[in-house]
Amino acid sequence: MKDVQSTNNNNPKRAISKFRLKNVEHPKLFKDIFPYSEIPKIVFGKEQIPMSIPEDIWITDTTFRDGQQSMDTYTEKQIVKIFDYLHRLDNNSGIIRQTEFFLYTEKDRNAVKKCLERGYKFPEVTSWIRANKEDFKLVKDMGLKETGMLMSCSDYHIFKKLNKTRQEAMDLYVSLVEEAIENGIAPRCHLEDITRADFFGFVIPLVQRLMEISKKSGIKVKIRACDTLGLGLPYSGTELPRSVQHIINGLIVYGGVPSEYLEWHGHNDFYNVVPNATTAWLHGCSAINTSLFGIGERTGNCPLEAMIIEYGQLRGNVKNMNLKLISEIGEYFEGEFKYSIPPKTPFVGSEFNVTRAGIHADGILKDEEIYNIFDTEKILGRPIVVAVNEHSGHAGIAAWVNTYFRLKDIDKIDKKDKRINIMKDLVDEQYETGRTTVMKSEELELIAKKIIPQLSVKGQDTEAC
């Protein structure tokens, strides 16, 4: 079939067309788009892909696989602890539906056994293996129902890494899927580097073959589209191979992949990891693969907590998830692994809802809805915080007192209160004598309780922000 660059889904005849593998002699590397000595190019076309969000969307997790590859190796105890956290965060909502594990060391296998013994419905334990038939024994011995398997699909990988032809690669991948099915294991095919692959010359012929096997066997063969270098683009009108819209739409329309078989896995090399993931949802992909705090190779994976919030925005709720655990999990990673979460990281950073600007503090003093993204205290267990420095003014100090001591309604202290003026004078003295750092809450608390003694009573049972 001739090379098609469109994924228009309005023509049902084209949707069921059979695509033949193009077993090219030389690799197709798209050097006009990826010149390597220059920044990659964005190519636009005229075609617009309509949105088609699936009825059921969910999140999967790769904290123990892709995430662990970029960290010091987790201990067995740490793996089980994180798995428990994922389960408690999901809270039987089924939004965090699966998580994947390595099986190569005795430690990993023991950890998987302990996670399986928990008996949790969510997240389901799955594994990841190489393109190697011997690895199926590991999966089978563990009694797992599903495994991911690596299937590199760009010519960069097929020719340069695997040293194979497209036909040889396709034959290997098909045999792996057949082997998995013979062993009673549902295969999840990780199409590595799909955003640099010949979509109609290799990806679609392979996927069509995999869907034929799935239909014949009655076993679900999942397709994970992997944006290995974060080259995917969410923008409407962009063309293959980088267009997330075309990739997802094309896998469904031409590949014949049902939405519930389809998963997106992205990286953040070009800052597009969350927009790309949301775009995949919006155009027919049911599952988004994530890791806690986006931990992963190079710039990282799609942050699990980010996609929970995206899910809530798309669906209007997050069912019964326990989002207040996000901060606790973050504290665990920082304490247990000495992992540094940048303070301004959305939803989880120590300063994600901290304001220093005086004009913002004045707005918060009037109504925190003016400058807070949502009720962060109710949803995430993180009250809005006002940081105090030499620019905070009366409004900033009053806002700090009200937020730190969680004063509400008639108990709130006005910025014109004389006691706030006294506090401001004491703060100003700090900076007049050469201080350059933000006032710590512990320092301000001592000052506030001295000037406003009744705060001691109100603050005794109040946790510091």
Side-chain angles (χ1 to χ4, degrees), residues 178-191:
E178 291 173 338
E179 184 83 12
I181 288 173
E182 287 177 11
N183 282 276
I185 300 167
R188 185 179 64 247
C189 306
H190 293 204
L191 303 188

Side-chain angles (χ1 to χ4, degrees), residues 21-27 152 154-155 157-160 162-173 202:
L21 177 75
K22 292 184 178 178
N23 196 32
V24 295
E25 184 177 348
H26 301 289
S152 302
S154 75
D155 285 351
H157 287 249
I158 295 171
F159 282 79
K160 293 173 175 284
L162 300 180
N163 196 27
K164 294 182 181 296
T165 65
R166 289 183 179 180
Q167 188 65 59
E168 289 171 337
M170 182 171 178
D171 291 344
L172 172 62
Y173 302 154
F202 182 79

Side-chain angles (χ1 to χ4, degrees), residues 305-451:
E305 64 278 7
M307 296 317 294
I308 290 172
I309 300 301
E310 289 289 274
Y311 180 99
Q313 293 187 91
L314 288 171
R315 289 303 194 217
N317 65 79
V318 290
K319 298 181 181 178
N320 57 317
M321 293 191 81
N322 184 2
L323 301 194
K324 291 181 179 179
L325 274 175
I326 290 174
S327 295
E328 184 178 333
I329 300 170
E331 291 167 2
Y332 173 75
F333 267 73
E334 290 190 311
E336 185 74 13
F337 303 112
K338 302 299 182 281
Y339 179 77
S340 179
I341 298 175
K344 296 186 182 296
T345 302
F347 316 128
V348 70
S350 60
E351 297 185 11
F352 90 90
N353 62 344
V354 172
T355 184
R356 288 181 171 83
I359 190 170
H360 288 191
D362 189 55
I364 290 169
L365 194 59
K366 295 180 173 69
D367 188 332
E368 71 173 48
E369 286 190 44
I370 296 173
Y371 282 113
N372 204 14
I373 55 174
F374 48 70
D375 191 339
T376 53
E377 181 173 8
K378 176 184 176 183
I379 296 171
L380 297 173
R382 296 279 298 276
I384 191 170
V385 179
V386 177
V388 173
N389 58 23
E390 71 269 37
H391 303 301
S392 297
H394 294 82
I397 294 170
W400 179 88
V401 170
N402 291 329
T403 56
Y404 185 82
F405 291 99
R406 304 188 185 186
L407 304 181
K408 304 290 183 181
D409 304 322
I410 62 172
D411 291 327
K412 290 175 69 173
I413 297 176
D414 189 85
K415 66 180 179 180
K416 296 180 181 179
D417 192 296
K418 289 189 293 184
R419 297 168 296 179
I420 296 298
N421 190 57
I422 296 172
M423 285 188 65
K424 182 180 183 300
D425 288 342
L426 293 173
V427 169
D428 288 345
E429 286 178 14
Q430 295 271 335
Y431 292 97
E432 287 168 2
T433 55
R435 179 173 185 146
T436 59
T437 57
V438 172
M439 295 284 291
K440 294 181 179 179
S441 291
E442 293 83 356
E443 299 175 88
L444 289 167
E445 182 179 356
L446 291 174
I447 296 172
K449 287 181 177 179
K450 183 178 179 180
I451 305 301

Side-chain angles (χ1 to χ4, degrees), residues 109-328:
R109 292 191 292 273
N110 286 337
V112 169
K113 287 177 183 177
K114 290 189 175 181
C115 291
L116 289 170
E117 287 170 0
R118 291 293 204 262
Y120 300 150
K121 183 177 181 181
F122 302 115
E124 177 190 358
V125 175
T126 71
S127 63
W128 181 92
I129 63 173
R130 298 159 294 192
N132 186 334
K133 292 184 179 181
E134 294 177 1
D135 286 357
F136 282 115
K137 188 177 185 303
L138 294 172
V139 182
K140 195 170 184 179
D141 289 347
M142 295 299 302
L144 299 180
K145 299 177 181 177
E146 178 180 315
T147 190
M149 54 186 71
L150 187 62
M151 296 186 180
S152 302
C153 66
S154 75
D155 285 351
Y156 284 90
H157 287 249
I158 295 171
F159 282 79
K160 293 173 175 284
K161 185 179 76 172
L162 300 180
N163 196 27
K164 294 182 181 296
T165 65
R166 289 183 179 180
Q167 188 65 59
E168 289 171 337
M170 182 171 178
D171 291 344
L172 172 62
Y173 302 154
V174 168
S175 69
L176 282 170
V177 169
E178 291 173 338
E179 184 83 12
I181 288 173
E182 287 177 11
N183 282 276
I185 300 167
R188 185 179 64 247
C189 306
H190 293 204
L191 303 188
E192 184 182 23
D193 204 28
I194 198 170
T195 47
R196 290 193 298 177
D198 186 343
F199 194 73
F200 290 102
F202 182 79
V203 174
I204 290 301
L206 170 63
V207 169
Q208 286 186 340
R209 181 75 181 96
L210 298 180
M211 290 302 101
E212 289 172 3
I213 296 171
S214 179
K215 186 176 181 180
K216 182 179 179 180
S217 67
I219 293 179
K220 182 184 292 186
V221 176
K222 291 184 180 178
I223 302 296
R224 177 183 287 184
C226 300
D227 185 17
T228 305
L229 293 180
L231 291 162
L233 296 169
Y235 319 124
S236 182
T238 50
E239 293 190 344
L240 290 168
R242 300 183 69 185
S243 171
V244 177
Q245 296 182 13
H246 277 285
I247 290 170
I248 298 302
N249 183 74
L251 288 170
I252 295 169
V253 173
Y254 296 105
V257 186
S259 290
E260 61 270 22
Y261 290 22
L262 195 53
E263 186 177 13
W264 176 261
H265 170 96
H267 283 263
N268 200 33
D269 297 76
F270 291 85
Y271 277 110
N272 283 326
V273 72
V274 172
N276 281 342
T278 304
T279 297
W281 261 344
L282 292 175
H283 290 83
C285 183
S286 284
I288 301 298
N289 192 234
T290 67
S291 69
L292 283 166
F293 318 121
I295 296 170
E297 282 285 276
R298 300 181 317 281
T299 57
N301 297 109
C302 189
L304 184 147
E305 64 278 7
M307 296 317 294
I308 290 172
I309 300 301
E310 289 289 274
Y311 180 99
Q313 293 187 91
L314 288 171
R315 289 303 194 217
N317 65 79
V318 290
K319 298 181 181 178
N320 57 317
M321 293 191 81
N322 184 2
L323 301 194
K324 291 181 179 179
L325 274 175
I326 290 174
S327 295
E328 184 178 333

Side-chain angles (χ1 to χ4, degrees), residues 71-79 81-82 85 328-340:
M71 299 272 288
D72 290 337
T73 305
Y74 301 149
T75 66
E76 183 181 320
K77 182 178 179 181
Q78 290 166 343
I79 290 172
K81 177 75 171 178
I82 297 169
Y85 266 133
E328 184 178 333
I329 300 170
E331 291 167 2
Y332 173 75
F333 267 73
E334 290 190 311
E336 185 74 13
F337 303 112
K338 302 299 182 281
Y339 179 77
S340 179

